[in-house]
């Protein structure tokens, strides 16, 4: 037993020793753990304290622990030393920084600016910051205040959170901020919108005098959609119109152009700490995200909004103090005292009155001009101001996004004046290498004739390549212009394909040595093109649609002007044409230029216009004051200045005047004729085309190379036959060709005599044969065909006047008519050509074999209806109504369809 007891005692003693050893080990581990935990807690509290500055409620208990006393003391000492060092230079440095970044009304006390009118035009350096109050560093020993300012215009939005007690203070701070901006910039450069979910009126009432000038809009608290839609439409318009040239913001355009193109819009939204409905909240976020580049700034008060866009924060802690994201959590912001209640409406009234005064001041033509001429590049498009709104320039843009313009207004509404203002602005900004103008006026006037040399003013607009006036009766000239534009468009497209590009801007970059100006074609009263349902109208509509659709990429822009576009039958069922005319300009009382639901132009006063870059929808309206651009010393003075600046090798513009009779001796095609040039050709008249080409028929030795002139007027016939004779004579050396002139009616005697004198003075042999000797003469010509190598040209005036004489014959002998038919049939192959005048289609056909017209290849008809001429042009549907001094020329061997020509004045001396 003793041994068992002894063994048990030993086991117990060993276990006691083990428990003692384990207890000692656990005690040491516990003490180590407590030490580690305490050290960790001290470190974490110190880090927390340094980060939060002791303001977090969760730090209250740890900071009260005596074990943390040395940590608190050490951090406090460090903070005091650091803030002491900061106070020596920090407040002073911040004061200097804010003074430099917030000059004038942006940062100075209200006594120095409230009630004064801003002068900044928004083009120079804007204030980077705008003052809202003062702040002190919480831990600074002396608590020296320093100014606090926030970025705003084009830089950041502002979000303000309040408590119920601090809401009036916050609104006063926002009001003072708005007054700083309004008082710094010229009136009209800032528009303010206020929406308060809690009340219809009462929010910042001191600003209400701005409403009479349109600078303040108070929106319905139940309809945030109206404000957000307006801001969204503005942002969309700026992006699709103003920023379409590649710029990223309005500020970048203003810096380059030297002017603010759009006013800023500051929207103040006063909420109740609740977000808007989901769809409106998403729209608000889109406005905040995209607005800064378009000059839209938001000031949201108690309205939750979080976006990926610069936004400064002001969070009110109590009735008087706040925290600001510009200073961080270690400074307390105290907003500046509210502005004097009586001074705010007075200042706003002064701003509104100044804007109204500026609006009543007439915008002048000089206001549209740049500081220096021809400094702009048209690669991305054409931009020019045409007037002012709220004393800001309003521009029209012709480029890829708004390629063509439609201008409308009744007679006397200022349509011509607007076109002058637009053309003057473009011509002053872009050189002739950057811009070419093709100008056509269908009404009975000479609006564009000023741009060409005249008797009184020999200067001309260097950009003008073609000017057409008095063309109301010559719709073919409008068709010729559209054909020229279509040909130019195709040529540029071919060049673009060679360089593997698609747009004019890219083509110019790939071919810098080429000349690729943008082309602007202005057609005033263009509806005359479609006045009748005929081939001209159909072809013009097809060409217009083609150029309108594809011209934008090749730098070709159309400006169509009209008194009324509602009656253009050729466009019925073709809305695709007008869809290309994104830019719409509606003058007073204009209808159907904008969309049907937009009647903004109906009540416009004189000298104003609605400029709309949104295809005429209402939200794109800009009401513009257009200056006088047609009075003396306006456009004419600009033209003289640009004329002196023109390149020396720049050719004269071509003037087509529908009331002017072209002179044969001045025609390039006539002057270029000379002996030995090959197969002779006869110039007959001037074609109605862009180049002013002559209508020419060749006199080859082939059947049918005879000319018939058909019509009752001896003057028209004498013009065509005289031009043909004089032009043929220039192609033969003196004495090498024979001319026979036959005045067969009395009225032809004088023009034949004058023509004979001219031909003889050129050294050619001329025989004049009258009615009495005609039969014998024809017999001699017919019998002598093939016996002479010298060319022989027969000009018979009034062949039908001797029809009975020609038909008479003796038994067994041929008649004079037989001889005439023989000469017509066989003469051309023996260098003998007949140029005859008949006074009707039936009379001409009486001189030809029955049912045969092949011996007459080319013909010119004057006062003859189209359906009568169809027998002379088998397979052609001729739509032609005679008009004064115009003829229809057709050569069945060379033409696909007849051409309208203008007879020459052949009486002036040939140089």
């Amino acid at each position: 037993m003793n041994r068992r007891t002894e063994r048990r005692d030993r086991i117990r003693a060993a276990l006691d020793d083990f428990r003692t050893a384990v207890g000692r080990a656990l005690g040491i581990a516990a003490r180590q753990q407590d030490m580690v935990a305490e050290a960790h807690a001290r470190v974490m509290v110190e880090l927390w304290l340094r980060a939060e500055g002791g303001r977090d409620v969760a730090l209250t208990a740890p900071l009260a622990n005596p074990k943390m006393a040395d940590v608190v003391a050490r951090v406090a000492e460090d903070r005091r030393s650091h803030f002491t060092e900061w106070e020596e230079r920090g407040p002073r440095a911040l004061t200097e920084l804010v003074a430099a970044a917030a000059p004038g009304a942006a940062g100075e006390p209200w006594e120095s600016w409230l009630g004064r009118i801003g002068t900044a035009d928004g083009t120079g350096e804007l204030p980077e910051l705008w003052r809202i109050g003062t702040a002190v560093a919480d831990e600074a020993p002396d608590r020296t205040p320093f100014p606090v300012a926030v970025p705003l215009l084009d830089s950041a939005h502002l979000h303000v959170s309040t408590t119920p007690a601090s809401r009036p203070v916050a609104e006063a701070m926002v009001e003072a901020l708005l007054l700083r901006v309004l008082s710094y910039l010229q009136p009209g450069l800032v528009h303010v919108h206020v929406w308060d979910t809690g009340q219809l009126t009462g929010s910042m009432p001191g600003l209400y005098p701005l409403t009479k000038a349109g600078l303040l809009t108070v929106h319905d608290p139940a309809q945030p959609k109206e404000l957000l839609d307006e801001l969204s439409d503005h942002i969309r318009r700026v992006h699709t119109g103003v920023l379409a040239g590649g710029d990223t913001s309005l500020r970048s355009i203003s810096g380059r152009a030297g002017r603010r193109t759009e006013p800023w819009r500051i929207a103040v939204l006063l909420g109740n700490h609740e977000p808007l409905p989901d769809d409106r909240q998403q729209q608000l976020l889109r406005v905040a995200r995209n607005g800064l580049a378009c000059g839209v700034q938001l000031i949201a008060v108690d309205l939750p909004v979080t976006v990926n866009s610069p936004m400064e924060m002001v969070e009110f802690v109590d009735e008087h103090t706040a925290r600001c994201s510009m200073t961080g959590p270690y400074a307390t912001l105290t907003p500046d005292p509210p502005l004097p209640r009586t001074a705010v409406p007075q200042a706003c009234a002064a701003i509104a009155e100044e804007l109204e005064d500026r609006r009543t001041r007439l915008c002048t033509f000089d206001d549209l001009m740049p500081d220096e001429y021809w400094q702009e590049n048209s690669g991305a498009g054409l931009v020019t101001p045409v007037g002012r709104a709220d004393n800001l320039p309003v521009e029209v843009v012709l480029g890829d996004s708004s390629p063509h313009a439609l201008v409308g207004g009744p007679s006397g509404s200022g349509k011509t004046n607007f076109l002058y203002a637009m053309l003057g602005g473009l011509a002053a900004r872009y050189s002739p290498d950057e811009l070419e103008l093709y100008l056509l006026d269908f009404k009975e006037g000479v609006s564009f004739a000023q741009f060409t040399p005249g008797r009184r003013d020999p200067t001309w607009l260097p950009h003008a390549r073609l000017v057409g006036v008095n063309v109301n009766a010559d719709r073919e000239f409008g068709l010729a212009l559209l054909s020229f534009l279509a040909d130019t468009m195709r040529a540029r497209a071919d060049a673009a394909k060679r360089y593997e590009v698609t747009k004019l801007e890219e083509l110019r970059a790939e071919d810098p040595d080429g000349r690729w100006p943008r082309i602007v074609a202005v057609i005033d009263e263009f509806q005359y093109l479609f006045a009748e349902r005929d081939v001209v109208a159909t072809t013009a509509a097809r060409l217009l649609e083609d150029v309108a659709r594809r011209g934008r990429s090749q730098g070709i822009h159309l400006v169509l002007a009209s008194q009324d576009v509602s009656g253009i039958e050729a466009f019925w069922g073709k809305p695709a044409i007008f869809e290309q005319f994104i830019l719409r300009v509606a003058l007073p009382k204009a209808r159907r230029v904008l969309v049907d639901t937009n009647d903004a132009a109906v009540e416009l006063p004189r000298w104003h216009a609605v400029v709309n870059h949104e295809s005429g929808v209402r939200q794109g309206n800009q009401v513009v004051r257009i200056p006088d651009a047609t009075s003396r010393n306006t456009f004419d003075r600009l033209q003289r200045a640009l004329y002196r600046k023109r390149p020396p090798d720049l050719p004269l513009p071509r003037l087509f005047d529908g009331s002017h009779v072209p002179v044969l001796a001045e025609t390039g095609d006539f002057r270029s004729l000379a002996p030995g040039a090959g197969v002779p050709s006869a110039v007959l008249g001037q074609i109605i085309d862009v180049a002013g080409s002559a209508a020419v028929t060749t006199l080859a030795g082939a059947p049918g190379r005879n000319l018939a002139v058909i019509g009752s007027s001896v003057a028209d016939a004498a013009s065509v036959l005289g031009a043909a004779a004089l032009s043929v004579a220039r192609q033969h050396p003196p004495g090498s060709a024979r001319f026979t002139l036959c005045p067969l009616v009395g009225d032809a005697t004088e023009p034949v005599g004058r023509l004979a004198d001219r031909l003889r003075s050129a050294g050619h042999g001329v025989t004049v044969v009258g009615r009495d000797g005609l039969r014998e003469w024809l017999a001699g010509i017919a019998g002598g065909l093939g016996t002479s190598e010298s060319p022989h040209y027969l000009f018979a005036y009034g062949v039908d006047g001797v029809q009975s004489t020609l038909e008479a014959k003796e038994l067994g002998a041929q008649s004079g008519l037989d001889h005439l038919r023989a000469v017509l049939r066989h003469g051309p192959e023996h260098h003998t050509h007949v140029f005859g005048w008949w006074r009707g289609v039936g009379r001409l056909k009486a001189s030809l074999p029955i049912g045969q017209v092949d011996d007459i290849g080319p013909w010119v008809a004057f006062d003859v209806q189209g359906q009568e001429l169809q027998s002379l042009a088998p397979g052609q549907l001729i739509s032609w109504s005679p008009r004064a001094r115009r003829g229809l020329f057709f050569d069945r061997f060379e033409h696909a369809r007849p051409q309208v020509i203008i007879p020459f004045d052949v009486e002036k001396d040939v140089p």
Side-chain angles (χ1 to χ4, degrees):
M1 292 293 293
N2 291 331
R3 270 189 274 184
R4 284 197 300 271
T5 302
E6 183 180 354
R7 193 165 42 245
R8 189 166 45 251
D9 292 340
R10 286 199 302 271
I11 293 171
R12 287 175 177 170
L15 291 173
D16 289 340
D17 292 341
F18 174 73
R19 283 194 292 271
T20 299
V22 171
R24 288 175 179 175
L26 290 175
I28 293 171
R31 285 194 298 276
Q32 291 292 330
Q33 183 180 16
D34 290 343
M35 292 173 60
V36 171
E38 182 179 337
H40 181 264
R42 290 165 64 85
V43 171
M44 294 303 297
V45 168
E46 182 172 353
L47 290 174
W48 204 350
L49 186 59
R50 290 185 184 278
E52 298 297 330
R55 289 182 295 272
D56 196 322
V57 177
L59 283 172
T60 303
L63 294 179
N65 191 327
K67 293 183 178 181
M68 299 295 171
D70 61 330
V71 173
V72 174
R74 184 170 63 254
V75 171
E77 180 60 29
D78 290 344
R79 194 179 298 277
R80 279 194 297 273
S81 64
H82 288 304
F83 275 105
T84 299
E85 179 183 353
W86 181 84
E87 281 220 329
E88 293 178 357
R89 56 180 179 81
R92 183 174 64 256
L94 283 175
T95 301
E96 294 173 353
L97 186 151
V98 171
E108 294 178 358
W110 65 266
E111 292 87 352
S112 66
W113 53 265
L114 187 62
R116 298 182 182 179
I117 305 302
T119 58
D121 62 3
T123 60
E125 289 292 330
L126 284 174
E128 298 179 62
L129 299 173
W130 303 83
R131 179 180 169 123
I132 59 173
T134 58
V136 294
D138 293 342
E139 302 296 334
D142 295 334
R143 297 177 65 82
T144 303
F146 56 88
V148 178
V150 295
L152 191 62
L153 299 184
D154 298 332
S155 300
H157 304 296
L158 179 63
H159 186 271
V160 181
S161 298
T162 74
T163 62
S166 64
R167 178 66 175 259
V169 180
E171 291 186 7
M173 181 190 73
V174 171
E175 181 182 73
L177 179 61
L178 293 173
L179 259 297
R180 287 186 181 276
V181 176
L182 289 164
S183 300
Y184 185 90
L185 295 163
Q186 291 178 0
L189 285 177
V190 177
H191 293 186
V192 178
H193 297 261
V194 175
W195 175 81
D196 189 341
T197 189
Q199 49 189 333
L200 275 172
T201 60
S203 301
M204 294 177 282
L207 301 179
Y208 283 8
L210 297 172
T211 57
K212 69 178 183 179
L215 298 179
L216 173 68
T217 303
V218 180
H219 294 267
D220 186 345
Q223 296 292 330
K225 178 180 182 297
E226 294 181 358
L227 170 60
L228 295 176
D229 284 348
E230 184 173 342
L231 297 178
S232 299
D233 290 339
H234 170 73
I235 292 171
R236 182 167 52 252
R237 181 178 63 81
V238 170
H239 272 290
T240 58
V242 184
L243 300 181
D247 293 281
T248 58
S249 68
L250 288 177
R251 170 169 282 189
S252 64
I253 293 179
S254 299
R256 187 183 68 254
R259 61 188 179 278
R260 182 72 186 183
T261 58
E262 292 281 342
W264 283 278
R265 285 164 170 78
I266 301 179
V268 182
L269 298 99
L270 301 161
N272 57 3
H273 297 282
E274 296 293 332
L276 297 174
D278 288 346
D279 54 344
R280 298 295 152 230
Q281 188 72 7
Q282 291 301 317
Q283 189 177 12
L284 174 62
L285 299 183
R286 289 193 295 271
V287 169
R289 186 167 55 250
N290 300 300
L292 293 177
C294 302
V296 174
Q297 276 71 39
L298 300 180
I299 299 179
V301 180
D302 294 336
L303 186 66
V305 54
T306 303
V307 294
N308 184 20
S309 182
M311 178 173 284
E312 299 299 331
M313 313 292 290
V314 175
E315 182 179 357
F316 277 82
V317 177
D318 54 36
E319 186 176 355
H320 303 291
T321 61
R323 303 289 182 189
C324 179
S325 58
M326 289 294 290
T327 58
Y330 303 110
T332 299
L333 166 67
T334 300
D336 287 332
L339 299 176
R341 288 295 86 196
T342 57
V344 171
Q346 292 175 359
C348 291
I351 293 172
E353 290 172 4
E354 175 64 18
L355 180 58
E356 289 298 320
D357 289 343
R358 292 189 181 191
R359 284 172 173 167
T360 58
R361 298 173 197 165
L362 292 181
C363 174
T364 67
F365 185 72
D366 288 341
D367 293 333
L368 306 183
M369 297 297 104
D371 295 333
E372 294 185 47
Y373 295 142
W374 297 356
Q375 298 300 306
E376 300 295 328
N377 184 291
S378 65
L382 300 164
V383 182
T384 184
V386 293
R388 286 181 175 265
D390 293 341
N391 208 36
L392 288 175
V394 175
E395 297 176 328
V396 295
V397 180
L398 293 173
D400 291 346
S401 61
S402 55
H404 312 297
L406 185 64
V407 181
S411 178
S413 63
K415 180 161 50 67
T416 299
N417 184 72
F418 172 82
L419 292 175
Y420 267 54
M422 181 184 70
L423 294 173
L426 290 173
R429 283 166 174 78
Y430 301 95
S431 72
D433 285 334
E434 299 287 335
L435 169 66
E436 287 185 350
L437 298 176
Y438 293 80
L439 310 169
L440 181 58
D441 188 354
F442 267 106
K443 64 179 181 291
E444 294 183 5
V446 290
S447 299
F448 299 142
Q450 172 181 329
F451 305 147
T452 62
R455 290 190 300 271
R456 292 185 177 180
D457 185 359
T459 68
W460 41 276
L461 188 64
H463 308 74
R465 296 295 86 221
L466 174 72
V467 175
V469 297
N470 289 319
V471 294
N472 53 304
D474 291 312
R475 296 186 302 132
E476 294 82 5
F477 190 73
L479 187 62
L481 174 58
L482 292 176
S483 298
F484 169 80
L485 295 176
D487 292 341
T488 304
M489 178 180 67
R490 284 189 288 270
R492 291 187 172 191
D494 291 340
K497 289 178 182 178
R498 290 196 300 271
Y499 285 99
E500 298 181 348
V501 296
T502 59
K503 298 192 301 183
L504 180 70
E505 184 176 12
E506 299 168 346
L507 176 60
R508 292 173 66 163
E510 292 294 327
D511 183 22
D513 295 329
R515 189 174 185 278
W516 307 107
R518 285 193 179 264
I519 291 174
V520 174
V522 181
I523 306 179
D524 195 6
E525 301 302 340
F526 71 99
Q527 73 276 4
Y528 276 94
L529 263 174
F530 313 101
E532 300 179 21
R533 293 185 175 181
D534 56 9
V535 174
V536 172
T538 303
T539 307
R542 176 179 56 80
L543 289 171
L544 182 61
E545 182 173 6
D546 187 29
V547 174
R549 283 180 177 275
R550 301 193 294 140
R552 70 170 72 197
S553 60
Q554 307 306 331
I556 298 175
H557 309 284
L558 298 170
V559 178
L560 303 185
S562 174
Q563 293 186 16
D564 183 11
V565 300
S566 61
I568 304 173
E569 298 180 3
F571 288 159
W572 288 355
K574 290 188 177 182
I577 294 181
F578 279 122
E579 287 175 1
Q580 305 301 319
F581 288 78
I582 307 299
L583 172 58
R584 308 287 179 88
V585 179
L587 294 149
K589 307 298 186 293
R591 299 181 183 275
R592 303 295 298 275
V593 178
L594 309 173
V595 296
D596 289 343
T597 57
N598 188 355
D599 58 356
V602 174
E603 301 299 328
L604 278 182
R606 193 176 179 225
W607 299 105
H608 287 73
V610 175
V611 175
N612 187 301
H613 284 85
E614 297 284 341
S615 298
V617 296
R618 184 175 292 276
Q619 58 264 31
N621 288 351
Q622 289 181 288
V623 178
V624 187
R625 177 51 161 87
I626 310 296
D628 181 1
T630 57
S631 295
R632 186 179 180 85
N633 288 326
T634 54
F635 200 106
D636 54 340
R637 181 160 53 88
L638 170 67
Q639 178 169 301
R640 288 192 292 270
L642 299 182
Y643 175 78
R644 291 190 295 269
K645 192 178 175 65
R646 77 192 189 284
D649 57 345
L650 192 67
L652 286 168
R654 194 218 160 194
L655 173 65
F656 176 86
D657 186 347
S659 65
H660 174 71
V661 178
V663 177
L664 176 67
E666 298 173 355
T667 302
D669 287 334
F670 176 78
R671 295 169 66 92
S672 64
L673 297 175
V679 177
S681 59
V683 173
L684 307 177
Q686 179 178 289
I687 299 173
I688 299 180
D689 67 354
V690 169
S693 307
V696 176
T697 185
T698 59
L699 302 176
R705 303 319 296 164
N706 304 295
L707 173 74
V709 180
I710 309 166
S712 62
S713 170
V714 65
D716 292 337
S719 173
V720 174
L721 296 179
L726 294 171
S727 58
V728 168
R730 287 177 69 91
Q731 300 169 70
H732 295 286
S736 63
R738 292 184 298 149
F739 290 85
T740 300
L741 309 182
C742 304
L744 305 178
V745 293
D747 294 343
T749 303
E750 290 187 10
V752 166
R754 291 193 293 268
L755 178 60
D757 292 340
R758 288 180 179 273
L759 294 173
R760 291 189 182 108
S761 65
H764 295 289
V766 178
T767 301
V768 177
V769 178
R771 298 168 60 97
D772 295 338
L774 180 63
R775 290 183 57 186
E776 292 75 12
W777 174 80
L778 284 175
I781 296 298
L785 290 176
T787 61
S788 174
E789 291 296 324
S790 62
H792 189 186
Y793 302 100
L794 290 71
F795 290 83
Y797 291 70
V799 179
D800 55 295
V802 292
Q803 184 71 20
S804 58
T805 301
L806 293 176
E807 290 176 343
K809 64 178 180 178
E810 298 177 1
L811 186 63
Q814 289 185 318
S815 67
L817 186 58
D818 293 330
H819 296 311
L820 173 62
R821 289 172 177 173
V823 174
L824 288 171
R825 176 169 294 274
H826 303 292
E829 59 187 286
H830 297 292
H831 314 293
T832 300
H833 303 271
V834 175
F835 297 78
W837 166 40
W838 287 263
R839 290 173 291 185
V841 174
R843 293 169 179 254
L844 167 63
K845 293 168 70 174
S847 298
L848 301 174
I850 297 175
Q852 297 183 23
V853 294
D854 294 346
D855 294 334
I856 299 294
W859 50 261
V860 177
F862 287 97
D863 51 352
V864 181
Q865 294 294 333
Q867 63 185 52
E868 296 183 62
L869 297 169
Q870 290 185 184
S871 60
L872 301 179
Q876 291 282 335
L877 180 61
I878 300 178
S879 176
W880 167 252
S881 296
R883 55 184 190 262
R885 294 295 297 167
R886 297 296 183 268
L888 196 66
F889 169 47
F890 181 69
D891 189 336
R892 60 190 176 87
F893 296 112
E894 299 183 11
H895 292 163
R897 59 180 60 89
Q899 293 178 320
V900 178
I901 66 170
I902 305 173
F904 286 118
D905 178 354
V906 298
E907 296 300 327
K908 289 190 177 181
D909 290 338
V910 180

